[in-house]
Amino acid sequence: MNVYFSCSLTGGRNEEGVYRAIVDHLLTAGHDVPTAHLARPEVMSLERVVDPQEVYGRDVAWIQACDAVVAEVSTPSHGVGYEIAYALSLGKPVLCCYRDGSTVSKMITGNNSPGLTVRSYRGPAEALLIVDQFLEAMNHGTPESTR
Amino acid sequence: MNVYFSCSLTGGRNEEGVYRAIVDHLLTAGHDVPTAHLARPEVMSLERVVDPQEVYGRDVAWIQACDAVVAEVSTPSHGVGYEIAYALSLGKPVLCCYRDGSTVSKMITGNNSPGLTVRSYRGPAEALLIVDQFLEAMNHGTPESTR
């Protein structure tokens, strides 16, 4: 599957370890992850040199082409929030996962849009389990709506 | 006009002074601002008790009913990013304004969606001027695309 991974860049990188665990897990399972570079620590200097309109056009095209979006939402981010809404407007399945105890916007935790799954995790291992359950539910055509 | 004002809640309230200036300015000019309470310092305790699904349903209905969205984007926020994308998907005019020097997501600064205006300001007075210019351009049917 083609999975668009979305995470905070400028908003903060506290959960970078989980970002990498999710992306590595998806790649190892054979999925395409166009945004895999976002989980790497050097992304901040890499992305800084890219033109904003180029980033926007690139990310929007990747979302249009993906089968699903996996968003890590422990750290507030305009870009991630934008991408979640944009993907849902296109009818893409979206998983929002966050570290248990994070304060997450009610526009996400209270969101009952079709195709959206919102889950908390206690550590990287549980995050990967949640990602697997989300993709498996997609394959079986039974989109979750747990929150 | 009915103007939906969007700003960070849980992500941080550093720009609360500007939020209040914008909302007071809009109300004084005779506009309806359904989210006026978001600019008040007591909002954090008020919103905490409201059910997430109620907040989501309320805010989505307000966006559907509004003539325009004014978003302050100096402080990262999933909710604000979500609301910007949602409003644009409905064809609403959206102003994103931020304090000069803030690091703003390229999904906003590089965004060339029709109806979106992105502007920076150096202080509250300039923020109000930008809001007025945005609403005036709307009235004249000449949506800006300055960024």
Side-chain angles (χ1 to χ4, degrees), chain B residues 52-102:
Chain B
Q53 292 200 36
E54 199 174 312
V55 169
Y56 171 78
R58 181 196 70 186
D59 289 3
V60 158
W62 276 339
I63 293 171
Q64 287 166 353
C66 79
D67 300 304
V69 171
V70 171
E72 208 291 340
V73 297
S74 304
T75 307
S77 157
H78 287 120
V80 174
Y82 188 97
E83 290 167 4
I84 292 165
Y86 182 69
L88 290 172
S89 78
L90 299 177
K92 307 281 180 182
V94 176
L95 169 66
C96 292
C97 62
Y98 59 95
R99 188 177 288 275
D100 196 30
S102 308

Side-chain angles (χ1 to χ4, degrees), chain B residues 1-124:
Chain B
M1 259 188 288
N2 182 323
V3 182
Y4 184 96
F5 175 72
S6 179
C7 64
S8 165
L9 293 176
T10 49
R13 300 285 290 177
N14 283 350
E15 300 301 339
E16 192 173 84
V18 174
Y19 302 165
R20 295 175 75 173
I22 292 174
V23 165
D24 287 348
H25 184 69
L26 289 167
L27 293 172
T28 303
H31 298 295
D32 291 324
V33 185
T35 49
H37 65 287
L38 299 185
R40 298 212 308 261
E42 60 271 28
V43 67
M44 298 309 293
S45 47
L46 283 173
E47 289 283 294
R48 199 170 290 135
V49 297
V50 188
D51 175 70
Q53 292 200 36
E54 199 174 312
V55 169
Y56 171 78
R58 181 196 70 186
D59 289 3
V60 158
W62 276 339
I63 293 171
Q64 287 166 353
C66 79
D67 300 304
V69 171
V70 171
E72 208 291 340
V73 297
S74 304
T75 307
S77 157
H78 287 120
V80 174
Y82 188 97
E83 290 167 4
I84 292 165
Y86 182 69
L88 290 172
S89 78
L90 299 177
K92 307 281 180 182
V94 176
L95 169 66
C96 292
C97 62
Y98 59 95
R99 188 177 288 275
D100 196 30
S102 308
T103 308
V104 179
S105 167
K106 290 179 178 176
M107 290 304 285
I108 291 175
T109 57
N111 194 317
N112 57 3
S113 297
L116 177 65
T117 303
V118 181
R119 299 280 299 274
S120 67
Y121 61 82
R122 277 158 296 185

